Structure formats: C-alpha cells, structure tokens
Amino acid sequence: MHRLSALTDLLKHLLKWLLLASVVAVLAGSASAAFLFALDWATRTRLAHAWLIWLLPVAGFAVGWLYLRYGSSVEGGANLLIDEIHDPKKIIPLRMAPLVLGGTVVSHLFGASVGREGTAVQMGGALADQLTRMFRLNNEDRRIILMAGISAGFASVFGTPLAGALFGLEVLAIGRLRYEAMLPCLAAAVIADQVGLLWGVQHTHYAVPLIPAFSTWTLCAMVIAGVLFGVTGKVFAQATHGLSGWMKRKITYAPLRPLAGGLVVALAVWLLGTDKYIGLGIPTIVDALQGPLPAWDFLGKMAFTIVSLGTGFKGGEVTPLFFIGATLGNALGPLLHQPVTLLAAIGFVAVFAGAANTPIASTLMAMELFGAEIGVYAAIACVVAYLFSGHAGIYRAQRGGHAKRTPRKELDP
C-alpha cells in the first residue's frame, strides 16, 4: 500500500511538472521566436542602412528613459530572476518581457554590441512567473518554475535544449546544482526549442571540419587554451561591471549613460571603418570556424561589448562571448599548433563557461553545436576556464555554492 501511494505521488509530480513546464515552454518558445524574427529584421535593416549607427546615442537615450520611467522594477534583468529564485519576494512584473525585447531590438537596430540570451532568459523567466499567481504556487515551486523559464529561454534562442536545461540549473550558484528542478528545466528546454522550430526559427549551423585524434599535446593545448579563455572571461566580466559602476557614479541621470556609450561606439565604428564588432557578429563567428582571422578581432569585440553593456544598452553577454572566444581560439591555433577551427569552436564555449561559471552547460552546448566528438576537448577547456575565471562572473546575483578548489589549508596535514 505504501509503495502504491509513493508511486501515485511520483506520477502526480511528473504530470504536474510536465504540464507546468509545457506551458512555460510554449510561452518562452513563442516569445523567443518573435524576438529572433525581430532581431533578424533589425540586423538586416542596419546592414542595409549604415547611417543608422549615428542614431545609436539617441536610441540609447530613448531606451534608458523608458526603463527609468516604466522599468525601474525590472532593471535588474537576469540578476533579478536569480535573486528571486534564491530569495522569493514578489512576482516578476510582466512588463520585463516587452521592455527587454524592445530595448534589445532597438539596440541591435542602431548598432550596439550586445547579445540575445539575456533577453530570452528575462522573457522566459517573466512569463513563467506569471503562472505563480495563476496556479497559486508556493515559494519552492516558484523557484523551480523560474528556473524552467530561464532554461526555456536559453534553449529556444540558441537551439540547444540540453545546454539550456543545464544552464537553468547551473547559473544560480557556483559549484551547486538543484536536482529537484532537473525534470521541469529539461522538459521546458526541450519543448521550448521545438516550439521555436514550429514557428519557423532557423538557427545558425556551425561546423568544425577537423577534430584531431587524441594526443598528449592536444590535451595539453586544451589546458593552456582553457587558462587563457578563463582569464579572458574574467577580464570581460570585471571590465563590464567596472565600467557600469563608474558610469553610475559619474552620470546620475540614467538615460545619459547609453547616450554617451552610443556616441563612443558610433565614433569608433567611423574611425575604424568597419561594423565588424557591432551587433551579434555571427558572420565573423562562422568565419572563425572556417579559417584564420586577424589576431586582434577578439579585442575589438570585447571593447565594443564592454562599452555597450557597461553603459546600459540592453541585450545579453553570451553571443558576444561566443565571438570573443571563437576569434581568440582562432588566434591561438597557430601558437598551440592546433587547427584554428578546433580552437575557435573550443573558445566559442569556453570563454562563456568561464564568464558565466557554467562549465557543464557549456560543454553540452559544444556537443550540441559541433558534434559529440568534440566533447572531451570542450570539457577540458571549459573546466579549466571555469577554474581560472575567479569567483565573480557576468551575473552578479550568482551565489557561491562551493569553492572552485580545495583551500590550501585543507590540503595541509
């Protein structure tokens, strides 16, 4: 009788979370699809009208004013979601979704160097949290449904359901996973990805033409590259947070910060004579996976993204990190005597692993995007990058679950 009761409880748990995760997935997957279509339009429009870059300061001011006037309660973005998962207080306002969607599309339309994962994650989390009141969820269930929303948003915007599921579990605290949320996060990620595909979303296809056989030097090269990728992720996170804090101290009226940042970006594009480092930069990522590129490309993208995000433009960090990692890996290939395409693919995920403190999700992403054969190489580089990226990443609300290594005093007899 006891076994039957336990089995019944498990079935109820399964059905409950499959239902809730499915609703979250439909909402987040549909929102991501609409966002990706809008983003594609914004990118094509900007490329067709290069003069739009000169309106970036005005666009930055407009987005800053909208957030100041209507979005002060959701200004925290993804960090607000993480904080609410750790310490539930109040429902995420639904306005987070349209504000971040509009703000990100405008940022891309006029040429800011920002990503897209932050937008998808915020939309997924905000939409998911609306179910809290509808289904009268308690705090523990609310935590889980917010995590499912994050997973659904990440998975549907990149087309990587396994990485999306693990991202929602791994991003909350360094070195700790919440296994009770694994089923909802996995279900939401897989279904959201399929919902996006049903809407007609087409994700970029990445390919690595050559994955070498195992050798001692190849594994050593992954370790060396992992150190550099981790340090790069750390520098990126610290510089972005540092610039943001400095701007807030120097410019108290929030809309003026992205106005100043937009002016710097527009002038830099004009002086350099290239728009290579603005927008998502996906064509350059694809090129990095096919052959050698200028060694300084990763520095250019890093500078443009730090200025864009640090001054208040909306979007995300992850796709720029893909660009930075892929081009840095491309530059490291000849130095480490490895195929540039292999190290570009490894850098693609490893810089993100270090900056976001998500080595497991990043490894799974490498396998989903480039094939299972790259898994061991990606895992080594991502774990090493994670170790060398410090304890503060791109998400300030991320908690410290466990130390990244055993403290020296615990090693001494």
Side-chain angles (χ1 to χ4, degrees), residues 99-112:
L99 275 173
V100 73
L101 188 154
T104 304
V105 172
V106 168
S107 296
H108 279 280
L109 175 62
F110 294 99

Side-chain angles (χ1 to χ4, degrees), residues 56 111-114 243 261 265 303-314:
L56 183 60
S113 177
V114 293
L243 178 60
V265 170
F304 273 79
T305 306
I306 289 169
V307 171
S308 296
L309 292 174
T311 57
F313 281 95
K314 303 303 175 184

